[in-house]
């Protein structure tokens, strides 16, 4: 079959229009990946906390821990939903410009700010950049056809990870080998960010988006969204006037249908499990990521900047996270049976690593524990994405990822307000890590109890038949209509690395749409 198809391709020459389209696609992929790579080139980012603690900035550890850092979480919670809606409504490019300008504002305040208030404004602008990261991953899917989603996700994710890795390595080399000061390193970061902002100006603004700009004119009518194809409304075939009416009533019609579909999907136990994992574990993960740099400075308060290895640690953790994410695509486990047990084990290991970071006086042990901590988290991210998104339309996928991220942000903000903020307990960073250790231990115990109760329930019900190798999530209607044999055809081997690249930069709001097309038959 494969040789014959190749022969046909050789016999049939490409038409001039097809050749131009292919060249246009190549250029689009290259430019978007180059932009994604350059937007991550911030070599001073790994050294922001040590920079704030140098004598010429004159901030104390208590000010950074209890007054400056909490503002990031508060601001992120406030801007998250508005930025998500504006990203879709404004069709991505304006939000990408906002992200570029916010990054420049962050580094200008870092370089020239002198007060705690200046640094709090810096954290606010940094929260804007975090919330705006959805724009890039959503933007790339708005410019290509659904058949190209998977490849585009792989290319863009690779570019982003390569950019983060290169930026961290470059920053470490400049500090350790080049003996560049933190101030000079921040000027270099500002130059990279300015160049990235210039690249943003040349990005093409798409004509469609996921929610607000879903219906675009075509030759014979309109191009409905995926949700419209799943649940066609009574006015789909009546022409442009009624299409405009549907757009006006989007909030009363489409959103209601989406929420109803989401309610039905939440009846699936695996969807609930992985959504809860995303909410609780990602909240704990970001607490560690936000405050670990301060802990490093407490463990090793060296005045010699060439001995600060934050950049190398970030590079190593990024590389290990990419490797574990890639490896997760080839793991074959009966997730419907073992998910809670595996989640509990991974969470317990993460808790142990957090305790090691809390208790050790060796900076190298703390570095290694953090690298492993991020690697374990990134291992479960693509599996959670697959389990959540495998039965959802891309609209519902974006909605549920957004809800999970928002709830995780709310939980993380509450913990910071109680534990870290000076208006709460105002704990020192070491004491905070002890609290985070107990948080992960409570989560792991809850997962183990859930696994035990689930096993007892299956035993009492007498369900001894083997479960499918990797049970995919489906809606209740599909479960009734699809024979049991089809479950075994949905093995986790279908989870290729390119399809697990929805979580772009440690943030679910950076998730792109999931292609719902059936895989082509293999030769």
């Amino acid at each position: 079959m494969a040789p014959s198809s190749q022969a046909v391709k050789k016999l049939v020459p490409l038409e001039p229009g097809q050749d131009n389209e292919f060249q246009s696609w190549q250029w689009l992929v290259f430019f978007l990946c180059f932009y994604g790579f350059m937007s991550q080139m911030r070599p001073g980012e790994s050294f922001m906390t040590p920079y704030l603690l140098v004598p010429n900035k004159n901030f104390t550890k208590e000010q950074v821990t209890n007054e400056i850092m909490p503002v990031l979480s508060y601001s992120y919670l406030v801007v998250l939903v508005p930025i998500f809606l504006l990203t879709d409504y404004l069709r991505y490019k304006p939000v990408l410009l906002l992200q570029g300008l916010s990054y420049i504002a962050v580094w200008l305040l870092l370089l020239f700010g002198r007060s705690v208030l200046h640094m709090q404004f810096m954290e606010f602008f940094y929260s804007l950049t975090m919330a705006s990261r959805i724009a890039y991953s959503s933007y790339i899917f708005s410019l290509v056809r659904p058949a190209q989603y998977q490849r585009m996700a792989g290319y863009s994710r690779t570019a982003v990870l390569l950019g983060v890795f290169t930026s961290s390595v470059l920053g470490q080399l400049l500090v350790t080998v080049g003996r560049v000061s933190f101030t000079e390193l921040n000027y270099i970061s500002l130059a990279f960010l300015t160049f990235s902002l210039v690249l943003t100006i040349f990005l093409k603004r798409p004509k469609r988006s996921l929610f607000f700009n879903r219906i675009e004119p075509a030759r014979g009518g309109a191009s409905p969204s995926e949700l419209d194809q799943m649940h066609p409304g009574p006015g789909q075939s009546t022409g442009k006037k009624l299409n405009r009416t549907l757009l006006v009533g989007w909030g009363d019609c489409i959103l209601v249908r989406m929420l109803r579909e989401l309610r039905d999907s939440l009846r699936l136990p695996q969807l609930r499990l992985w959504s809860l994992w995303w909410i609780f574990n990602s909240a704990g993960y970001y607490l560690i990521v936000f405050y670990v740099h301060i802990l490093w400075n407490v463990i090793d308060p060296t005045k010699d900047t060439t001995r600060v290895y934050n950049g190398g640690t970030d590079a190593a953790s990024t590389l290990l996270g990419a490797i574990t994410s890639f490896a997760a695509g080839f793991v074959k486990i009966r997730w419907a049976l073992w998910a809670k047990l595996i989640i509990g084990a991974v969470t317990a290991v993460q808790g142990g690593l957090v305790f090691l970071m809390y208790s050790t006086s060796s900076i190298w042990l703390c570095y290694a524990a953090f690298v492993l901590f991020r690697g374990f988290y990134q291992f479960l991210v693509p599996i959670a994405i697959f389990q959540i998104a495998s039965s959802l339309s891309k609209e519902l996928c974006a909605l549920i990822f957004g809800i999970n991220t928002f709830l995780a942000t709310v939980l993380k903000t509450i913990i910071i307000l109680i534990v870290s903020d000076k208006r709460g307990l105002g704990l020192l960073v070491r004491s905070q890590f002890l609290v985070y250790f107990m948080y992960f231990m409570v989560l792991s115990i809850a997962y183990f109890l859930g696994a035990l109760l689930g096993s007892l329930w299956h035993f009492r019900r007498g369900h001894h038949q083997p479960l499918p190798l990797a049970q995919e999530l489906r809606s209740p209607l599909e479960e009734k209509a699809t024979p049991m044999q089809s479950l075994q055809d949905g093995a986790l081997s279908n989870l290729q690395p390119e399809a697990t690249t929805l979580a772009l930069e440690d943030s679910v709001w950076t998730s792109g749409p999931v292609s719902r097309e059936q895989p082509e038959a293999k030769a």
Side-chain angles (χ1 to χ4, degrees):
M1 177 179 175
S4 62
S5 62
Q6 293 177 357
V8 171
K9 290 182 180 178
K10 292 180 180 179
L11 291 175
V12 181
L14 289 175
E15 298 180 0
Q18 293 176 328
D19 185 56
N20 293 336
E21 182 181 357
F22 180 72
Q23 292 178 355
S24 176
W25 157 255
Q26 284 184 316
W27 167 249
L28 179 64
V29 170
F30 170 78
F31 187 78
L32 290 179
C33 291
F34 179 67
Y35 169 78
F37 175 86
M38 292 305 304
S39 64
Q40 305 305 315
M41 291 300 294
R42 305 182 294 272
E45 188 169 38
S46 298
F47 303 91
M48 289 174 66
T49 299
Y51 173 70
L52 292 177
L53 298 173
V54 296
N56 63 328
K57 299 303 288 187
N58 201 28
F59 295 110
T60 66
K61 291 184 179 69
E62 290 74 19
Q63 286 176 322
V64 175
T65 304
N66 306 127
E67 297 183 50
I68 296 175
M69 287 294 294
V71 175
L72 175 61
S73 184
Y74 304 153
S75 302
Y76 185 58
L77 178 63
V78 171
V79 302
L80 186 60
V81 174
I83 290 295
F84 173 73
L85 297 176
L86 285 175
T87 296
D88 192 89
Y89 184 75
L90 298 177
R91 286 175 287 155
Y92 312 113
K93 183 175 178 178
V95 176
L96 289 173
L97 289 169
L98 174 65
Q99 183 186 43
L101 292 171
S102 297
Y103 267 127
I104 291 177
V106 167
W107 258 263
L108 288 175
L109 286 168
L110 267 178
L111 288 167
F112 303 109
R114 290 293 179 266
S115 68
V116 171
L117 182 61
H118 291 156
M119 295 304 103
Q120 289 174 337
F121 271 110
M122 181 270 294
E123 296 287 7
F124 169 75
F125 282 110
Y126 195 79
S127 70
L128 284 178
T129 67
M130 292 177 59
S132 301
R133 289 172 185 175
I134 182 180
Y136 173 69
S137 57
S138 302
Y139 169 81
I140 60 179
F141 292 104
S142 67
L143 295 177
V144 298
R145 295 188 297 269
Q148 298 165 332
Y149 282 171
Q150 196 172 30
R151 279 191 296 165
M152 200 65 218
Y155 297 152
S156 62
R157 180 60 174 167
T158 301
V160 167
L161 288 176
L162 186 60
V164 174
F165 178 78
T166 305
S167 175
S168 301
V169 171
L170 176 62
Q172 190 63 63
L173 290 176
L174 289 174
V175 169
T176 304
V177 180
R179 297 185 178 275
V180 174
S181 68
F182 291 154
T183 301
E184 294 171 329
L185 191 63
N186 283 325
Y187 276 111
I188 295 173
S189 300
L190 184 61
F192 275 118
L193 292 170
T194 303
F195 178 69
S196 177
L197 179 63
V198 173
L199 290 179
T200 309
I201 299 175
F202 295 96
L203 292 174
K204 177 183 177 182
R205 190 179 184 187
K207 296 181 180 179
R208 61 185 174 87
S209 59
L210 198 58
F211 297 110
F212 291 101
N213 306 285
R214 298 172 304 106
I215 300 178
E216 63 177 339
R219 293 181 181 178
S223 176
S225 72
E226 186 174 344
L227 196 65
D228 293 329
Q229 295 173 4
M230 294 171 58
H231 303 281
Q236 291 291 331
S237 60
T238 57
K240 296 182 178 180
K241 183 176 180 180
L242 192 52
N243 284 335
R244 294 194 192 100
T245 304
L246 287 175
L247 274 178
V248 172
W250 176 86
D252 297 326
C253 181
I254 300 299
L255 184 59
V256 171
R257 282 204 308 240
M258 289 176 62
L259 292 176
R260 187 183 302 117
E261 184 77 14
L262 183 61
R263 179 199 62 192
D264 295 336
S265 300
L266 287 176
R267 296 174 182 173
L268 299 170
Q270 288 294 94
L271 179 60
R272 292 197 303 268
L273 171 65
W274 288 101
S275 293
L276 289 174
W277 175 86
W278 202 289
I279 293 169
F280 287 98
N281 285 64
S282 64
Y285 169 80
Y286 283 111
L287 287 169
I288 300 301
V289 171
F290 285 170
Y291 285 97
V292 73
H293 286 194
I294 304 176
L295 180 65
W296 291 342
N297 189 270
V298 171
I299 294 175
D300 186 25
T302 178
K303 301 298 182 183
D304 184 4
T305 59
T306 61
R307 293 178 54 195
V308 177
Y309 298 99
N310 294 11
T313 306
D314 286 339
S317 62
T318 299
L319 182 61
L320 180 62
I323 293 173
T324 54
S325 296
F326 182 84
F330 300 93
V331 174
K332 298 180 180 180
I333 296 175
R334 295 186 179 97
W335 291 104
L337 180 62
W338 300 108
K340 293 177 184 177
L341 187 62
I342 293 175
I343 291 175
V346 171
T347 304
V349 172
Q350 286 182 296
L353 292 170
V354 173
F355 184 79
L356 178 60
M357 286 186 269
Y358 154 76
S359 59
T360 185
S361 58
S362 169
I363 187 62
W364 292 106
L365 272 178
C366 194
Y367 283 154
F370 176 71
V371 171
L372 293 175
F373 176 84
R374 289 191 69 176
F376 277 106
Y377 175 80
Q378 295 296 339
F379 171 75
L380 288 181
V381 165
I383 297 171
I385 291 171
F386 173 73
Q387 294 289 332
I388 292 174
S390 59
S391 68
L392 303 177
S393 67
K394 61 188 178 186
E395 287 95 345
L396 288 177
C397 182
L399 182 62
I400 197 167
F401 280 139
I403 292 174
N404 289 345
T405 301
F406 179 76
L407 294 177
T409 305
V410 171
L411 177 60
K412 178 187 65 179
T413 304
I414 293 173
I415 295 174
I416 289 177
L417 180 61
I418 296 173
V419 174
S420 178
D421 197 292
K422 67 175 185 178
R423 290 165 291 186
L425 297 176
L427 298 180
L428 298 177
V429 69
R430 271 196 184 272
S431 301
Q432 289 185 40
F433 269 69
L434 181 59
V435 173
Y436 303 151
F437 158 71
M438 293 187 290
Y439 175 84
F440 277 97
M441 287 297 100
V442 170
L443 287 181
S444 64
I445 292 172
Y447 292 132
F448 283 133
L449 288 177
L452 178 61
L453 294 176
S455 299
L456 291 176
W457 184 83
H458 278 287
F459 180 78
R460 291 184 62 182
R461 290 288 298 259
H463 288 178
H464 300 293
Q465 67 269 26
L467 291 173
L469 187 61
Q471 185 172 349
E472 292 185 351
L473 296 176
R474 297 170 301 158
S475 66
L477 293 177
E478 290 175 331
E479 288 183 349
K480 294 179 181 179
T482 307
M484 194 67 182
Q485 180 64 32
S486 65
L487 290 175
Q488 299 184 3
D489 297 332
L492 189 57
S493 59
N494 292 333
L495 178 57
Q496 298 299 327
E498 295 84 359
T500 66
T501 55
L502 299 176
L504 80 65
E505 284 183 305
D506 296 336
S507 175
V508 189
W509 284 94
T510 60
S511 61
V514 178
S515 176
R516 303 284 297 168
E517 296 184 348
Q518 297 293 333
E520 296 179 0
K522 295 182 180 180

